[in-house]
Amino acid sequence: MMGVLFDAEYVDETREMRLWLKSGERVFFAVDGSFIPRFFVEGEDPEKLARVVEKIEIRGNGRIIRPVSVRTVEMKRLGNTVKVLEVVPEQPKDIQTLRRFIREMPGVRQIYNYDIPVSKYYLISCGLSPMDGAEVEGEMKGSEVILSAPPKPVQLTAPRLSMMSFDIEVYNPAGSPRPEKDPIMMIGLAGDGGFRRVLTWRRFPTKLDFVEVLESEKKMIERFVEIVRERDPDILLGYNTDFFDFPYLRERARILKAKLALGRDGSEIVARRRKFATATRVRGRIHIDVFAMVDFLATIGSIRLVHYTLENVYKYLLGKDKPDFEFTKFVEAWEKGGEAWERLLVYNLSDAVAALELGHELLSLFLELSKIVGQVPFDVVRMTPGQMVEWLLIAEGFRRGELIPARPVAETYEERLEETYTGAYVMEPVKGLHENLVVFDFRSLYPSIIVTHNIDPSTINCSCCAGTGERVPDLPYHTCRRRRGFLPEVVEKILKARFDVKKRLKDLDRESHEYKQLNAKQWALKIIANSFYGMLGYPKARWYCKECAESVTSFGRHYIKWTIRMAEEAGFRVVYSDTDSLHCLLNGKSRDDAMRFLDDVNRRLPGMIELELEGFYPRAVYVTKKRYAMIDEEGRITVKGLEFVRRDWAAIAKHTQEAVLRALLEDGSREKAARIIKEIVERIRRGEVSLEDLVIYTQLKMPIESYRSIGPHVVAAKRLREAGREVEPGMIIAYVQTRGRGSISERAYPVELLGDREYDPDYYINHQVLPAVMRIMEVLGYSERDLTSRPGRQRGLDFFLQ
DNA sequence: AAATGACGGGG
DNA sequence: GTGTACGTCATTT
């Protein structure tokens, strides 16, 4: 049987690998209980070591742990052949026990391949790639195949994967919802083919035809499970589902004794703890948290927003607005019904629809990444770019018989953290507001440098080319001229594949399915290629190499500085440059001139190194290195390094910052920006600002007694408790800074107990509004005094700037 | 100056 | 990844 592999998982309890495949409309899974990963031991005398290792017997948990097979084999380490022991355990979980024991034996130098999770080891050693074909052989029972031989990779076009998204809305009377007592009010669902549904258990009258009212919260959850199983999507998505929806749903289901049997085999969801969130696995389906994909794109700099809310991301990527709903109004809607209730139902569905549409928009990129990296989409959508490169290298290393370096132990990691090196060139910006800019981007610079200059842990400062190797600019390093490194080979393969894809793209209709598919592929290849450098300098990476990373940045500085000189000579004015990008003023020149400059530079750059047009920007404001804001031709604002206004800031600060950036970038008016600030400062002074603009929301993370440092929200929480309110960890404390004596904390009052106390204008001016805007306004020539002085009394710099 | 605690996405 | 981010900022100590 053949199918496209879309998920793979190792099931601990049964010690089986499970492969999920799709062929046409048919989904089935293959089970393999025979796979045992192996690991390798490098020692002084392999033959002698083998005789000792094969006799190992460790008693533990009522059984004896011993290797099933020990033999000496030839493998490669950074390209050099080495003789090592191959150790096969009886069970995967014995690996760690055996490894810890062997590590302490005399004559043992290094151990390899012991820290690769079973399911990943399986895919790599079978040579399988997700979103590609696999041929399985064995006995068929229903939709289950018991494998009689290892699966084999085959060429197969991926069938379409069906999707469904969901979103829950939760009752939150305490500010932050508490899963142990606050119920789920509704569950919104959206699926392919226009399926739209909101499940709820509140019997308010509504004319909305997508609403289905159930008897209880438990019945609602059960109906949710039923719908998912009936419609049977391959992919289940949502926004921030790893962090919020699934953990919440899981806890409510536990309390209500409802089974979240969303798996294709009838199994319940499985929570996998990782990073700071819990990734939820749904067997036989791919659970994708759209936020994880968005976060990834933000990390690699593909999208840049002030806040990554569903609303903002939806607007930015799809250009559409969606209804909003204040989270402080949930309680009212739930308790009183009426118009607010209807709006909440609509909002809930719109969230599910937005997640679905974003899923459609972003999925193809991540499926391509999955294919390239060789790991399943469930894992790949949750990986950092560095992890992706690492898994690709592990698979490539396997094919070449390379030993896989272990992830560094804590001590090595600490040592690496201490090692610093000169990074990229970052130009001090020409500060202030500029108009008509063109931004060029050197995205393929670092991978091209790795390929062109053969940078690799095995080629850097090789002994065979001492004195004759290729020199690294400004560093006492050289690279090998005789042997090609592992990394340069892999990177070159990726860059060439991308080049081929881009060539094929030229002849295709931009709206066609094939174009979109191939475009996702070239994008994925670019992302992977660009991530090699980051991995070389990441202290937790297996192929970490400080000298390599240092050499890459040195070559990078060399090329960017050359390009800056070229741009200046061509008559542009470079106002900013960071690593691989230059921001230039058109300086009276045309767009065609900019494009001609680009061609000219590219003709003169060596080999694979290529400058690209990032875009034209009508306006931009530069504050310091790494801090600037730009507006593109569609009116989209991107902010870098200035976005520090968060939930624990008053709305007045957030609104002022936004308004100031808009005045500068949309209207090009520093006077308007200054006027906005002055007006707000005056309104604060006159006591005209409404309470909701002044409230600061901060979460109480611990019981009050546990705090060693008593911040404003802790004092406010204490006051709430003294007034007889229930206060517990997880609550969002809403407080206002009031006038009076004492520290900031001593003057924090919860909104509920504010009474007729006056807010503190000085605090809101000096600790909220001004910090949010001063970094920007200072570079435009304004001082705090200019912006806070009373109108008519002092003109400050305004006079000179006009 | 150092220590402490909160932010993000979600509701 | 048999694991517990991470870099930045405000306020307290």
Side-chain angles (χ1 to χ4, degrees):
Chain A
M1 295 220 34
M2 289 201 287
V4 162
L5 177 72
F6 66 90
D7 198 24
E9 188 190 10
Y10 178 70
V11 183
D12 253 349
E13 308 85 67
T14 53
R15 281 190 253 146
E16 287 169 344
M17 270 307 298
R18 264 182 193 222
L19 305 175
W20 286 88
L21 302 127
K22 189 171 188 184
S23 170
E25 285 302 302
R26 192 175 143 70
V27 172
F28 61 100
F29 64 96
V31 175
D32 188 345
S34 70
F35 178 72
I36 308 288
R38 49 210 55 200
F39 64 98
F40 301 90
V41 184
E42 187 194 356
E44 276 158 31
D45 182 346
E47 310 292 347
K48 191 173 144 197
L49 195 59
R51 288 194 292 276
V52 193
V53 170
E54 66 189 7
K55 294 206 184 70
I56 290 176
E57 286 188 350
I58 306 161
R59 257 166 259 275
N61 290 340
R63 53 186 277 270
I64 293 168
I65 293 165
R66 56 164 79 89
V68 171
S69 144
V70 178
R71 58 181 188 135
T72 58
V73 291
E74 284 196 343
M75 297 284 285
K76 282 185 190 158
R77 202 195 46 202
L78 297 178
N80 297 310
T81 304
V82 283
K83 207 172 196 186
V84 291
L85 296 193
E86 179 204 68
V87 183
V88 184
E90 197 181 339
Q91 292 178 24
K93 68 171 181 194
D94 296 346
I95 292 176
Q96 297 312 326
T97 318
L98 288 168
R99 183 204 128 222
R100 278 191 210 106
F101 190 87
I102 293 170
R103 191 181 54 190
E104 303 305 326
M105 291 169 64
V108 170
R109 285 207 207 105
Q110 286 286 351
I111 307 181
Y112 297 93
N113 297 35
Y114 62 84
D115 59 352
I116 304 170
V118 186
S119 71
K120 294 186 164 71
Y121 210 127
Y122 187 89
L123 296 185
I124 292 165
S125 69
C126 296
L128 293 178
S129 193
M131 302 321 295
D132 232 329
E135 189 179 355
V136 296
E137 209 177 290
E139 191 194 335
M140 187 89 194
K141 286 199 285 183
S143 52
E144 184 178 347
V145 181
I146 312 291
L147 288 182
S148 56
K152 285 199 283 284
V154 285
Q155 283 279 347
L156 217 59
T157 314
R160 206 185 64 85
L161 298 177
S162 59
M163 296 198 210
M164 180 182 264
S165 69
F166 77 102
D167 176 52
I168 66 171
E169 307 301 339
V170 170
Y171 186 55
N172 58 355
S176 208
R178 302 151 297 182
E180 61 286 354
K181 51 180 94 160
D182 298 329
I184 297 170
M185 300 185 286
M186 56 183 77
I187 304 176
L189 294 149
D192 295 341
F195 176 74
R196 302 288 184 264
R197 189 72 55 89
V198 171
L199 308 176
T200 185
W201 53 289
R202 198 75 160 164
R203 300 199 160 270
F204 290 126
T206 171
K207 290 202 186 81
L208 299 167
D209 59 0
F210 53 78
V211 178
E212 184 181 335
V213 183
L214 286 303
E215 276 169 44
S216 64
E217 189 190 4
K218 182 181 180 183
K219 286 270 196 305
M220 176 183 71
I221 292 173
E222 286 168 347
R223 179 70 182 129
F224 166 63
V225 173
E226 191 177 76
I227 291 175
V228 170
R229 292 181 60 179
E230 267 170 24
R231 302 195 65 92
D232 200 29
D234 301 316
I235 298 177
L236 202 54
L237 359 109
Y239 200 79
N240 211 18
T241 40
D242 269 349
F243 185 75
F244 184 73
D245 299 68
F246 262 130
Y248 207 96
L249 203 44
R250 192 181 162 77
E251 183 60 11
R252 293 309 294 165
R254 190 185 65 76
I255 291 164
L256 300 166
K257 297 187 171 54
K259 272 198 166 16
L260 279 174
L262 293 165
R264 249 177 170 141
D265 55 356
S267 61
E268 291 190 66
I269 61 170
V270 185
R272 307 224 167 237
R273 298 187 66 177
R274 58 169 73 192
K275 282 197 196 164
F276 71 107
T278 304
T280 301
R281 249 187 183 286
V282 180
R283 248 172 226 155
R285 308 185 204 282
I286 311 170
H287 164 221
I288 293 179
D289 181 345
V290 177
F291 175 68
M293 301 200 283
V294 168
D295 194 37
F296 178 87
L297 293 176
T299 321
I300 63 169
S302 289
I303 54 173
R304 215 176 271 143
L305 300 173
V306 181
H307 295 290
Y308 294 89
T309 58
L310 178 56
E311 189 189 356
N312 287 358
V313 172
Y314 186 65
K315 172 85 182 167
Y316 184 81
L317 288 176
L318 301 173
K320 293 190 276 189
D321 287 305
K322 62 173 292 304
D324 191 16
F325 198 97
E326 274 285 302
F327 75 84
T328 47
K329 307 251 167 71
F330 277 61
V331 176
E332 189 195 323
W334 180 250
E335 284 166 2
K336 297 195 186 122
E339 180 266 346
W341 175 246
E342 294 237 316
R343 276 202 301 117
L344 185 56
L345 291 164
V346 169
Y347 164 77
N348 178 225
L349 184 64
S350 79
D351 271 7
V353 171
L356 181 69
E357 289 180 18
L358 285 171
H360 275 293
E361 180 73 16
L362 300 176
L363 184 71
S364 52
L365 170 67
F366 286 86
L367 294 184
E368 289 299 333
L369 283 167
S370 176
K371 210 190 283 190
I372 297 164
V373 168
Q375 293 301 332
V376 294
F378 175 84
D379 288 325
V380 168
V381 298
R382 293 170 175 81
M383 280 180 191
T384 63
Q387 287 172 308
M388 290 184 193
V389 168
E390 203 160 87
W391 284 110
L392 170 73
L393 285 177
I394 291 170
E396 284 283 346
F398 242 80
R399 284 194 269 280
R400 294 157 190 255
E402 275 277 342
L403 294 164
I404 308 304
R407 298 169 67 214
V409 294
E411 196 192 356
T412 313
Y413 172 66
E414 298 293 329
E415 281 168 22
R416 290 177 178 182
L417 273 180
E418 301 293 305
E419 300 183 331
T420 55
Y421 62 92
T422 315
Y425 172 68
V426 186
M427 182 183 144
E428 188 63 44
V430 179
K431 292 174 183 166
L433 188 60
H434 299 293
E435 299 201 335
N436 297 323
L437 298 100
V438 58
V439 176
F440 299 110
D441 200 326
F442 243 140
R443 297 296 297 225
S444 59
L445 183 62
Y446 282 2
S448 308
I449 286 171
I450 292 171
V451 175
T452 311
H453 303 292
N454 198 25
I455 295 168
D456 185 82
S458 74
T459 61
I460 195 93
N461 302 330
C462 64
S463 49
C464 59
C465 301
T468 61
E470 187 180 354
R471 309 276 326 152
V472 177
D474 307 322
L475 287 170
Y477 300 158
H478 71 269
T479 56
C480 190
R481 287 192 198 273
R482 305 171 63 153
R483 199 174 66 191
R484 200 108 168 83
F486 174 41
L487 264 60
E489 271 185 20
V490 178
V491 177
E492 184 169 19
K493 206 165 92 178
I494 291 166
L495 290 179
K496 284 202 165 136
R498 177 165 185 249
F499 185 74
D500 289 344
V501 173
K502 286 195 93 169
K503 219 162 60 186
R504 284 169 63 195
L505 275 174
K506 285 201 175 113
D507 305 321
L508 291 171
D509 169 20
R510 292 180 74 93
E511 292 306 308
S512 68
H513 175 73
E514 203 187 351
Y515 181 93
K516 283 177 183 159
Q517 184 87 24
L518 281 177
N519 195 43
K521 186 171 180 174
Q522 72 81 14
W523 190 12
L525 288 164
K526 182 177 174 176
I527 290 168
I528 296 293
N530 281 328
S531 305
F532 276 79
Y533 159 72
M535 186 221 61
L536 283 170
Y538 176 55
K540 278 187 182 169
R542 294 172 193 256
W543 278 273
Y544 169 86
C545 174
K546 181 210 140 194
E547 292 79 6
C548 292
E550 198 175 11
S551 302
V552 171
T553 58
S554 181
F555 274 112
R557 291 192 301 273
H558 169 78
Y559 286 117
I560 194 85
K561 285 180 180 172
W562 175 83
T563 311
I564 290 171
R565 278 200 307 276
M566 289 282 292
E568 298 276 2
E569 278 169 26
F572 298 97
R573 184 168 179 225
V574 181
V575 289
Y576 184 56
S577 167
D578 182 354
T579 315
D580 49 15
S581 70
L582 43 160
H583 300 217
C584 310
L585 297 186
L586 279 173
N587 221 5
K589 303 182 89 61
S590 69
R591 286 166 176 243
D592 285 345
D593 293 334
M595 299 314 285
R596 269 193 291 278
F597 165 72
L598 190 62
D599 285 343
D600 195 33
V601 166
N602 280 329
R603 266 197 300 278
R604 298 176 61 177
L605 284 167
M608 295 191 144
I609 298 168
E610 194 192 337
L611 191 68
E612 289 173 342
L613 174 74
E614 208 263 323
F616 291 99
Y617 293 86
R619 285 198 192 90
V621 58
Y622 295 88
V623 177
T624 58
K625 286 181 180 183
K626 312 266 185 199
R627 294 187 206 278
Y628 58 89
M630 310 195 288
I631 187 164
D632 69 14
E633 296 176 298
E634 279 79 50
R636 296 190 294 203
I637 290 175
T638 57
V639 184
K640 187 123 205 252
L642 296 164
E643 54 279 82
F644 63 101
V645 171
R646 316 176 302 186
R647 175 173 74 191
D648 53 355
W649 283 66
I652 189 90
K654 300 179 205 177
H655 294 158
T656 312
Q657 191 186 52
E658 280 164 20
V660 162
L661 281 174
R662 265 205 306 279
L664 293 174
L665 297 171
E666 285 175 3
D667 307 316
S669 169
R670 57 195 90 200
E671 295 78 19
K672 184 174 174 187
R675 212 156 50 232
I676 288 168
I677 299 167
K678 284 184 179 183
E679 277 169 22
I680 287 171
V681 166
E682 267 314 300
R683 280 181 46 218
I684 294 173
R685 282 203 182 120
R686 288 197 297 263
E688 291 173 4
V689 179
S690 67
L691 187 61
E692 61 188 282
D693 275 343
L694 300 171
V695 180
I696 298 165
Y697 297 91
T698 308
Q699 188 174 30
L700 191 74
K701 292 273 207 188
M702 306 182 275
I704 290 176
E705 295 71 33
S706 308
Y707 280 88
R708 278 167 291 186
S709 173
I710 313 296
H713 72 299
V714 184
V715 173
K718 271 186 183 170
R719 290 185 164 136
L720 270 180
R721 192 172 60 182
E722 281 156 18
R725 309 287 180 99
E726 197 185 342
V727 171
E728 52 194 323
M731 262 178 85
I732 306 279
I733 308 296
Y735 65 92
V736 172
Q737 286 300 138
T738 62
R739 261 189 219 271
R741 309 170 147 270
S743 67
I744 290 173
S745 291
E746 287 166 63
R747 291 181 285 116
Y749 275 84
V751 175
E752 296 90 328
L753 307 177
L754 197 60
D756 51 11
R757 280 183 192 82
E758 281 177 40
Y759 71 79
D760 178 6
D762 285 342
Y763 176 83
Y764 285 97
I765 292 167
N766 296 316
H767 292 254
Q768 295 281 327
V769 169
L770 290 181
V773 295
M774 273 328 288
R775 282 211 285 235
I776 303 163
M777 295 310 286
E778 270 165 7
V779 305
L780 299 174
Y782 291 89
S783 69
E784 287 197 7
R785 264 185 51 188
D786 298 326
L787 299 165
T788 54
S789 62
R790 290 174 197 277
R793 279 229 306 251
Q794 216 176 336
R795 297 218 57 187
L797 270 174
D798 265 16
F799 179 75
F800 303 100
L801 288 165
Q802 271 156 17

